[in-house]
Amino acid sequence: MVQYHWRRYYIELLRKKRRGMIDIIYSSLELNANVSSHQNQAFLILDNKKYPYRCYDLMTYKNLSKTVEKLGGFEVLPCIFINGYYIGTTDHLQELEDMKLISKIINGEYNESCLMCHVLRSNPEFDTCPYCYKKYLFFSQDNKKYDIYNNR
């Protein structure tokens, strides 16, 4: 019981220090009920699993709207990034959670081995696993790393 409270305490400290590995760009002024429910679902997934994350409201961080427009416009809200890689929307986050891969992606295990077949990565220059032929960054929508924190 004591460990539970300490863990919650440290997670809250991480959130306050903005050191989470998951970044979410959302809009608090969203008139579409479907997008609003997707945003709430994303926050619920992350809160239930106690993953540390940072939130960026487009009303506060207006310069992030350029990034959102590049990713497909405001219909793709919330935009979810793990370790700087754009993974998609709430549906993609739920899919990764169902596969139990979010914590592995946060820890950067895709740099050492394939997340799908668990074979060690022999050459860091290759971007595809030689055994299952999946990309090592299969969870990323465009294999491009974004720097959300410095783009605020």
Side-chain angles (χ1 to χ4, degrees), residues 23 25 54 56 64 67 81 84 146-152:
D23 297 315
I25 300 175
R54 297 180 286 215
Y56 299 100
L64 286 177
T67 305
F81 299 84
Y146 294 87
D147 191 8
I148 300 298
Y149 189 69
N150 292 328
N151 193 22
R152 315 183 276 137

Side-chain angles (χ1 to χ4, degrees), residues 29-56:
L29 188 66
E30 188 59 51
L31 300 176
N32 187 347
N34 190 23
V35 172
S36 180
S37 69
H38 279 258
Q39 290 177 170
N40 291 336
Q41 182 183 0
F43 293 131
L44 251 159
I45 292 169
L46 297 173
D47 282 335
N48 285 340
K49 293 296 182 171
K50 297 177 180 47
Y51 295 126
Y53 62 91
R54 297 180 286 215
C55 299
Y56 299 100

Side-chain angles (χ1 to χ4, degrees), residues 132-144:
C132 67
Y133 302 107
K134 281 276 215 180
K135 291 190 178 237
Y136 289 116
L137 297 174
F138 70 92
F139 54 87
S140 176
Q141 296 293 317
D142 55 4
N143 293 341
K144 179 181 172 188

Side-chain angles (χ1 to χ4, degrees), residues 33-110:
N34 190 23
V35 172
S36 180
S37 69
H38 279 258
Q39 290 177 170
N40 291 336
Q41 182 183 0
F43 293 131
L44 251 159
I45 292 169
L46 297 173
D47 282 335
N48 285 340
K49 293 296 182 171
K50 297 177 180 47
Y51 295 126
Y53 62 91
R54 297 180 286 215
C55 299
Y56 299 100
D57 187 359
L58 286 175
M59 298 293 105
T60 306
Y61 304 103
K62 294 187 187 323
N63 57 347
L64 286 177
S65 62
K66 294 176 186 173
T67 305
V68 172
E69 288 174 9
K70 289 178 190 174
L71 296 173
F74 295 99
E75 292 82 24
V76 298
L77 288 177
C79 297
I80 303 171
F81 299 84
I82 301 179
N83 290 342
Y85 292 104
Y86 174 62
I87 64 157
T89 61
T90 304
D91 297 332
H92 299 102
L93 180 71
Q94 182 66 55
E95 185 178 323
L96 290 174
E97 177 57 35
D98 292 343
M99 296 170 65
K100 298 183 184 351
L101 292 177
I102 293 179
S103 61
K104 292 179 181 181
I105 295 170
I106 289 173
N107 294 332
E109 292 181 22
Y110 53 87

